Amino acid sequence: MKTALKCILLFFFSLLSCASICFSQTTAATNKIISKEIPATVDRVKMLQLVNNVRRKGCQCGDTYYRPAPPLLWNAQLESAAYNHTTDMAKNNFFSHTGTDCNRGGNRLENLGYHWKTFGENIGQGYKTEKDVIDGWLASPGHCKNIMDKTFTEMGAAHIGNLWTQDFGSR
């Protein structure tokens, strides 16, 4: 019962803090990035290029080959969700898709005003560079599938220390 109450209180306080912050989104060309209110923790252009290079060529993800997919656009709301989740994992010393507020990826996106049709999330630990984490995700069938999913049109990512979050979505 105490855990449920803690989650309810944390959810309430996270809604209050989310309501007070205004995030913008990218609607420009694939590699054009807009400035935002959160610090840039990844090389946005490099991360987007690494992902879009794989999507352009197609990719073998475990036993499944994924044909080429359209390029993704960078989205500030997805980056904010990734940043918030990565910060939560770093500050609270855990590694999970479920945050300390009991929210998962879809809830985090909705709390930031991103009304998704589809979404996905990759998390990683132990990687130092954008290339390292992308290579790690591509070696994992489930993470690779998210990178190649044709239903996703946008992405954002963040990292703190060796913790990474990559969020995908479409509206």
Side-chain angles (χ1 to χ4, degrees), residues 23-170:
F23 294 99
S24 58
Q25 95 180 45
T26 301
T27 58
T30 301
N31 289 332
K32 185 166 181 178
I33 309 299
I34 61 171
S35 63
K36 311 172 19 13
E37 294 187 25
I38 64 164
T41 61
V42 298
D43 181 331
R44 297 167 180 153
V45 172
K46 185 172 188 171
M47 180 70 90
L48 196 57
Q49 286 174 339
L50 288 166
V51 168
N52 283 336
N53 286 345
V54 172
R55 288 174 66 91
R56 181 175 46 255
K57 296 175 190 173
C59 188
Q60 186 74 35
C61 300
D63 294 336
T64 305
Y65 175 75
Y66 289 88
R67 298 179 58 91
L72 298 175
L73 298 174
W74 192 266
N75 180 280
Q77 288 173 303
L78 296 176
E79 181 182 18
S80 294
Y83 176 81
N84 292 342
H85 186 58
T86 307
T87 300
D88 185 25
M89 289 192 295
K91 283 183 179 177
N92 295 295
N93 196 30
F94 74 98
F95 184 70
S96 172
H97 287 283
T98 303
T100 57
D101 60 359
C102 302
N103 281 327
R104 294 184 55 85
N107 301 113
R108 287 189 289 273
L109 298 181
E110 290 168 2
N111 289 342
L112 291 173
Y114 188 92
H115 305 294
W116 52 270
K117 288 182 185 174
T118 61
F119 81 91
E121 182 176 77
N122 288 341
I123 58 174
Q125 183 175 28
Y127 302 101
K128 293 183 180 182
T129 69
E130 289 82 358
K131 182 173 180 353
D132 292 341
V133 74
I134 294 296
D135 289 345
W137 285 329
L138 291 173
S140 166
H143 296 102
C144 183
K145 179 184 176 193
N146 277 343
I147 290 171
M148 293 305 299
D149 191 323
K150 288 182 178 183
T151 66
F152 299 144
T153 59
E154 302 172 308
M155 70 165 257
H159 87 97
I160 296 175
N162 69 357
L163 293 168
W164 297 76
T165 304
Q166 180 182 41
D167 284 325
F168 301 93
S170 66

Side-chain angles (χ1 to χ4, degrees), residues 1-19:
M1 186 58 108
K2 288 182 182 180
T3 302
L5 182 58
K6 179 182 174 186
C7 287
I8 290 169
L9 288 173
L10 286 171
F11 176 74
F12 174 74
F13 288 117
S14 70
L15 283 178
L16 286 177
S17 65
C18 288

